[in-house]
C-alpha cells in the first residue's frame, strides 16, 4: 500500500464511525425477540358517580411514557431511518480537512421496549481525499441487541453483529475489518444522548472533530 493509500485508509476508518467516542454508561436490558414498537401506558380509572369526599389525596402518578410523537407515537420506540442526505450534515462536521464523504442508501433502526435492530438498506459510503484517492464501502446486513432508554440517553447492547462490507480503493478490493469495526461502534454497544421533537429523534454522537447530530425520521 502506498503512503497516500495508507493515509486514505486511516482517514476512512477514523471518520466512518458515527460514535467514535463513547457516551455515558447505562444498564443493559434483556430480550430475545425484536419488540413490535408499541408500549403500554397505565390509564387512571374513570371517576365513579359517587360524590368525592371533602378532602382526598392526589393519586400516585403512573409510570410516564414519552408524549412526543415518534415513529410509532412513543419515541424512541418505533421504526426510524436516516438516509444519505440525512447523514451529510453529520459528515460535514466529522470529516477532516480535504476529505469529502458522500453517503447514500439508508439505515433503518427498529427500537422496541427492550430490543433493537439496525439494518443497512443499500447503504454506501464514498470518501474522496485530495490527491485523487477514492474509497467506497458498500454495507449490508444488520446489528441486533437489547436497548435501555433512560429518557435522555439510549443505550444499545449488541447481541448479534451481522453487517458485511465490500470495500474498494481506486477500484482495488480492500480488507473490510476496520470499516466493519467502525460501524460496530456506531450501531453496537454504546450509550448516546437523544431528544425527541415532533416526529423526529435527534441523536448526538461524539466524533474526533466534536459532537455531531443525526436526525432520524419515521421509516
Amino acid at each position: 500500500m502506498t503512503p497516500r493509500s495508507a493515509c486514505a485508509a486511516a482517514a476512512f476508518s477514523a471518520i466512518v464511525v458515527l460514535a467514535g467516542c463513547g457516551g455515558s454508561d447505562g444498564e443493559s436490558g434483556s430480550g430475545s425477540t425484536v419488540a413490535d414498537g408499541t408500549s403500554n401506558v397505565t390509564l387512571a380509572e374513570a371517576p365513579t358517580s359517587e360524590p368525592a369526599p371533602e378532602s382526598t389525596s392526589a393519586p400516585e402518578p403512573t409510570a410516564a411514557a414519552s408524549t412526543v410523537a415518534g415513529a410509532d407515537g412513543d419515541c424512541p420506540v418505533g421504526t426510524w431511518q436516516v438516509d444519505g442526505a440525512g447523514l451529510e450534515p453529520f459528515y460535514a462536521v466529522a470529516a477532516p480537512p480535504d476529505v469529502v464523504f458522500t453517503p447514500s442508501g439508508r439505515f433503518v433502526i427498529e427500537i422496541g421496549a427492550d430490543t433493537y435492530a439496525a439494518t443497512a438498506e443499500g447503504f454506501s459510503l464514498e470518501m474522496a481525499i485530495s490527491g485523487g484517492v477514492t474509497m467506497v464501502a458498500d454495507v449490508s446486513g444488520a446489528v441486533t441487541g437489547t436497548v435501555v432508554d433512560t429518557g435522555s440517553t439510549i443505550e444499545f447492547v449488541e447481541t448479534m453483529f451481522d453487517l458485511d462490507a465490500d470495500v474498494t480503493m481506486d477500484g482495488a478490493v480492500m480488507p473490510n475489518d476496520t470499516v466493519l469495526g467502525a460501524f460496530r461502534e456506531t450501531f453496537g454497544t454504546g450509550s448516546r444522548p437523544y431528544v425527541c421533537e415532533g416526529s423526529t429523534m435527534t441523536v448526538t454522537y461524539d466524533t474526533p472533530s466534536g459532537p455531531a447530530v443525526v436526525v432520524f425520521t419515521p421509516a
Side-chain angles (χ1 to χ4, degrees):
M1 181 182 293
T2 66
R4 186 180 68 173
S5 298
C7 291
F12 185 85
S13 63
I15 304 302
V16 67
V17 56
L18 298 184
C21 304
S24 58
D25 293 333
E27 298 178 358
S28 63
S30 61
S32 58
T33 60
V34 175
D36 61 4
T38 61
S39 61
N40 295 323
V41 180
T42 302
L43 300 177
E45 293 183 1
T48 66
S49 59
E50 295 290 331
E54 291 184 5
S55 176
T56 59
S57 299
E60 290 294 325
T62 58
S66 172
T67 58
V68 180
D72 286 334
D74 192 17
C75 180
V77 171
T79 303
W80 304 90
Q81 67 174 347
V82 60
D83 59 13
L87 286 171
E88 285 178 358
F90 167 85
Y91 283 114
V93 173
D98 302 322
V99 178
V100 177
F101 282 91
T102 305
S104 59
R106 68 174 188 167
F107 265 90
V108 176
I109 303 181
E110 299 175 74
I111 300 176
D114 53 14
T115 60
Y116 81 98
T119 305
E121 295 187 353
F123 188 83
S124 181
L125 185 61
E126 177 181 300
M127 181 190 76
I129 68 171
S130 59
V133 175
T134 300
M135 291 186 67
V136 178
D138 296 320
V139 183
S140 59
V143 183
T144 58
T146 60
V147 64
V148 173
D149 170 27
T150 69
S152 60
T153 62
I154 187 166
E155 180 183 4
F156 292 155
V157 179
E158 168 201 326
T159 57
M160 184 180 74
F161 185 86
D162 196 24
L163 283 181
D164 195 12
D166 295 324
V167 182
T168 59
M169 182 167 63
D170 289 342
V173 176
M174 300 289 293
N176 67 2
D177 53 341
T178 301
V179 171
L180 289 178
F183 278 101
R184 181 172 229 148
E185 289 190 45
T186 303
F187 298 109
T189 299
S191 181
R192 301 156 190 104
Y194 80 93
V195 175
C196 294
E197 184 176 6
S199 61
T200 64
M201 177 177 67
T202 301
V203 181
T204 300
Y205 293 90
D206 290 330
T207 77
S209 301
V213 300
V214 175
V215 179
F216 293 89
T217 59

